[in-house]
């Protein structure tokens, strides 16, 4: 088991035996996403989708002119989001096709840029493939149940969502991190509730799922110098702080895709490039590395 930290110059591999390896140097790597059969997908150099096979080799899968910002695999189908808030699908012939219905989501006219360009920030799909959810920054979470042929808006646009994530084994559970705090859905992303109760800070940027708990990273704003991690049941209920060896505050924001779990352990990277991993669950956190520059995300594989 290794912790993978993607950056604007390749990615770092921190193995369980203590080795520090690198791969894809010279390439901007982002959005590590699990695929079928133990494979992984990633966005490489902003315009390409690559697949990491079971044999450990990377293979270019598709290329397009658009700046890609997010990807998700729904079975054998790959969807991608763009920097101008569009959704694309990779066809069987590796052609990248637009999903034009996304351009006509009800309420799209009220979407607006904050901090960065109007863009797709993250994407997820329920574990049964029944729902595809797209986090637009800033534009809520449009949802499709027919492979992107039609879309329905969910969450208020100004809730300012930063990451959406579906449960890996429970299709009814979806969680999100937003400026309004922790958001949870128990009906596959159709409806949502949000809370900041119990949080020292409430501006949420990243989420991960550990069993039937959601972990959410929070700070006091987009330019915060400190952040913390909180936990709660995915089904609802109180929120409490995660300690387990972490410092009282981590540096900057723990951003979108910068906290992750494989269901047994948790890894995160903060705004200063400090990498932490738990020994089990949310206990026994230890610093794995520091000073990683140009971080775009983290994964456990």
């Amino acid at each position: 088991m290794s912790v993978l930290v993607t950056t604007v110059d390749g990615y770092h591999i921190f193995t369980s035996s203590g080795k520090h390896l690198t791969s894809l140097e010279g390439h901007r790597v982002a959005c590590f996403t699990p695929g079928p059969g133990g494979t992984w997908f990633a966005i490489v150099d902003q315009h390409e989708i690559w697949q990491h096979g079971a044999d450990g080799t990377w293979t270019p899968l598709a290329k397009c002119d658009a700046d890609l910002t997010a990807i998700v695999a729904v079975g054998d189908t790959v969807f991608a989001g763009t920097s101008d808030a569009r959704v694309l699908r990779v066809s069987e012939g590796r052609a990248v096709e637009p999903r034009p219905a996304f351009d006509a989501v009800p309420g799209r006219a009220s979407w607006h840029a904050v901090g960065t360009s109007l863009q797709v920030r993250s994407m997820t799909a329920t574990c049964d493939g029944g729902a595809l959810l797209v986090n637009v920054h800033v534009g809520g979470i449009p949802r499709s149940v027919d492979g992107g042929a039609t879309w329905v808006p969910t969450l208020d646009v100004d809730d300012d969502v930063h990451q959406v994530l579906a449960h890996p084994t429970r299709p009814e559970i979806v969680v999100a991190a937003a400026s309004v705090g922790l958001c949870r859905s128990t009906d596959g992303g159709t409806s949502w509730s949000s809370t900041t109760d119990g949080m020292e800070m409430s501006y949420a940027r990243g989420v991960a799922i550990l069993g039937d708990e959601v972990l959410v990273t929070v700070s006091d704003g987009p330019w915060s110098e400190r952040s913390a991690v909180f936990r709660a049941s995915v089904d609802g209920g109180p929120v409490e702080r995660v300690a387990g060896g972490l410092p009282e505050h981590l540096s900057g924001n723990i951003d979108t895709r910068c906290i992750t779990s494989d269901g047994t352990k948790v890894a995160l990277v903060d705004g200063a490039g400090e990498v932490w991993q738990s020994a089990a669950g949310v206990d026994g956190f230890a610093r794995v590395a520091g000073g990683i520059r140009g971080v775009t995300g983290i994964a456990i594989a």
Side-chain angles (χ1 to χ4, degrees), residues 77-82 85-91 95-105 108 111 123 132 134 144-151:
T77 303
V78 177
F79 292 88
T82 72
R86 313 290 174 182
V87 170
L88 313 173
R89 182 180 67 184
V90 180
S91 70
V96 180
E97 304 169 336
R99 305 305 284 161
F102 195 77
D103 299 346
V105 177
R108 183 174 177 120
W111 297 359
M123 308 173 75
L132 172 63
V134 177
S144 175
V145 295
D146 52 15
T150 60
W151 298 86

Side-chain angles (χ1 to χ4, degrees), residues 4 77 133 144 148 160 244 261 286 288:
L4 314 177
T77 303
L133 298 110
S144 175
D160 190 10
S261 173
V288 174

Side-chain angles (χ1 to χ4, degrees), residues 128-264:
D128 61 357
L132 172 63
L133 298 110
V134 177
N135 155 212
V136 176
H137 189 257
V138 174
I141 304 176
R143 178 178 185 266
S144 175
V145 295
D146 52 15
T150 60
W151 298 86
V152 175
T154 75
L155 274 182
D156 186 86
V157 167
D158 289 321
D159 284 354
D160 190 10
V161 181
H162 299 117
Q163 186 176 357
V164 62
L165 182 65
H167 196 285
T169 61
R170 296 177 58 185
E172 77 277 17
I173 299 295
V174 189
V175 296
S179 63
V180 295
L182 170 63
C183 304
R184 289 176 281 198
S185 172
T186 57
D187 55 12
T190 302
S191 62
W192 295 85
S193 62
S194 63
T195 185
T196 59
D197 291 347
M199 297 181 183
E200 170 196 354
M201 300 172 282
S202 59
Y203 180 82
R205 290 288 281 253
V207 283
I209 292 174
L210 175 68
D212 283 331
E213 287 195 316
V214 53
L215 307 177
V216 59
T217 68
V218 298
S219 71
D220 53 14
W223 299 281
S224 179
E225 296 182 355
R226 60 178 192 151
S227 54
V229 182
F230 286 78
R231 65 192 290 191
S233 168
V234 295
D235 296 290
V239 180
E240 63 181 38
R241 187 163 183 165
V242 172
L246 291 174
E248 181 180 3
H249 292 107
L250 293 132
S251 297
N253 272 296
I254 304 168
D255 213 344
T256 309
R257 288 185 288 269
C258 286
I259 185 168
T260 189
S261 173
D262 66 347
T264 63

Side-chain angles (χ1 to χ4, degrees), residues 18-111:
K19 293 181 180 179
H20 178 189
L21 310 173
T22 57
S23 185
L24 296 186
E25 295 95 332
H27 294 280
R28 188 186 194 280
V29 184
C31 303
F32 266 14
T33 301
T39 62
W40 288 81
F41 295 101
I43 295 173
V44 177
D45 296 332
Q46 294 184 282
H47 299 284
E48 300 181 18
I49 299 172
W50 289 25
Q51 185 173 22
H52 187 269
D55 61 357
T57 60
W58 282 103
T59 304
L61 179 67
K63 184 176 182 178
C64 67
D65 293 333
D67 287 341
L68 302 178
T69 53
I71 50 175
V72 64
V74 185
D76 293 328
T77 303
V78 177
F79 292 88
T82 72
S83 62
D84 59 351
R86 313 290 174 182
V87 170
L88 313 173
R89 182 180 67 184
V90 180
S91 70
E92 291 183 4
R94 299 190 177 185
V96 180
E97 304 169 336
R99 305 305 284 161
F102 195 77
D103 299 346
V105 177
R108 183 174 177 120
S110 66
W111 297 359

Side-chain angles (χ1 to χ4, degrees), residues 263-275:
T264 63
K265 296 183 178 182
V266 178
L268 63 88
V269 56
D270 69 14
E274 302 285 310
V275 183

